Amino acid sequence: MKLKHVIVGLVVAGLMGGFTAKVWAGEEEDAVTMDKVPQKVKDTLKNYAAESDVKKVEKGEDDGKKVYEFDIEQGSRKFEVSITTKGKFWGTEEDMELSAMPDAAQKALTAQAAGGPISGGEKAVDKDNKVTYEADITKDGKKMEVAVDADGKVVSTEAVGAEDKD
């Protein structure tokens, strides 16, 4: 009988630990199937991809807004589209090599790195269709994400925490 209580206790502790880790990491995403996605969200998705291009759907939060995030594959192109639960476009993110970014963006990110390594290149389009180019830069032993516009103007700089260093 004691063993049964110990096992139940361990299972509950494991589940709670997993939930706590997920909340602390800021990952409030749950996988969903397309049949659970509201029609107004699907209607907006049609502007970016066919349902057959969708490889994964998650429901989560982005900047405090509840969104559906769609991982899309169109041939060799892979990107993510975020749409609010009310069907409003929230943004896209697409992996991109530094060399594929506009020259001014490349120069600005290289200057920000000051000789340090650059990784994780990405093109992001926000809800207002504003485009930024982002990269992870390690400088003076600290990792940060720097976003610049197409003209090379620094838009944001954000420290990358240990949980983001995959």
Side-chain angles (χ1 to χ4, degrees):
M1 190 69 162
K2 240 182 184 181
L3 180 60
K4 183 178 178 182
H5 289 297
V6 169
I7 291 172
V8 169
L10 288 173
V11 169
V12 170
L15 290 172
M16 291 303 294
F19 174 75
T20 303
K22 189 174 184 179
V23 170
W24 278 107
E27 297 175 16
E28 297 179 28
E29 299 173 348
D30 294 312
V32 296
T33 56
M34 284 300 287
D35 63 321
K36 301 292 184 195
V37 175
Q39 188 59 49
K40 56 190 163 192
V41 175
K42 288 181 185 178
D43 290 344
T44 302
L45 177 65
K46 290 177 188 174
N47 295 321
Y48 303 93
E51 282 190 33
S52 60
D53 297 334
V54 176
K55 301 304 173 195
K56 182 173 151 189
V57 183
E58 292 180 324
K59 188 174 180 183
E61 283 191 29
D62 187 4
D63 290 334
K65 191 72 156 172
K66 292 190 184 303
V67 296
Y68 285 90
E69 296 175 341
F70 300 90
D71 286 351
I72 310 291
E73 286 185 26
Q74 295 172 332
S76 63
R77 184 174 177 225
K78 297 178 182 179
F79 60 102
E80 181 181 280
V81 175
S82 295
I83 301 171
T84 69
T85 57
K86 294 184 178 184
K88 182 180 178 194
F89 170 76
W90 199 249
T92 64
E93 294 179 347
E94 182 174 1
D95 289 342
M96 176 178 274
E97 294 293 325
L98 182 67
S99 61
M101 295 179 188
D103 288 339
Q106 289 181 47
K107 289 176 185 172
L109 290 168
T110 302
Q112 287 291 310
I118 301 173
S119 63
E122 185 174 270
K123 176 182 177 182
V125 179
D126 72 10
K127 64 183 186 232
D128 299 316
N129 288 307
K130 180 179 161 192
V131 177
T132 56
Y133 299 89
E134 304 171 357
D136 293 333
I137 294 171
T138 303
K139 184 173 164 182
D140 300 328
K142 296 178 182 170
K143 192 169 185 178
M144 62 185 153
E145 182 180 85
V146 178
V148 300
D149 65 16
D151 296 325
K153 179 182 174 198
V154 176
V155 176
S156 68
T157 302
E158 181 180 319
V160 176
E163 71 277 359
D164 295 331
K165 293 181 182 178
D166 292 332

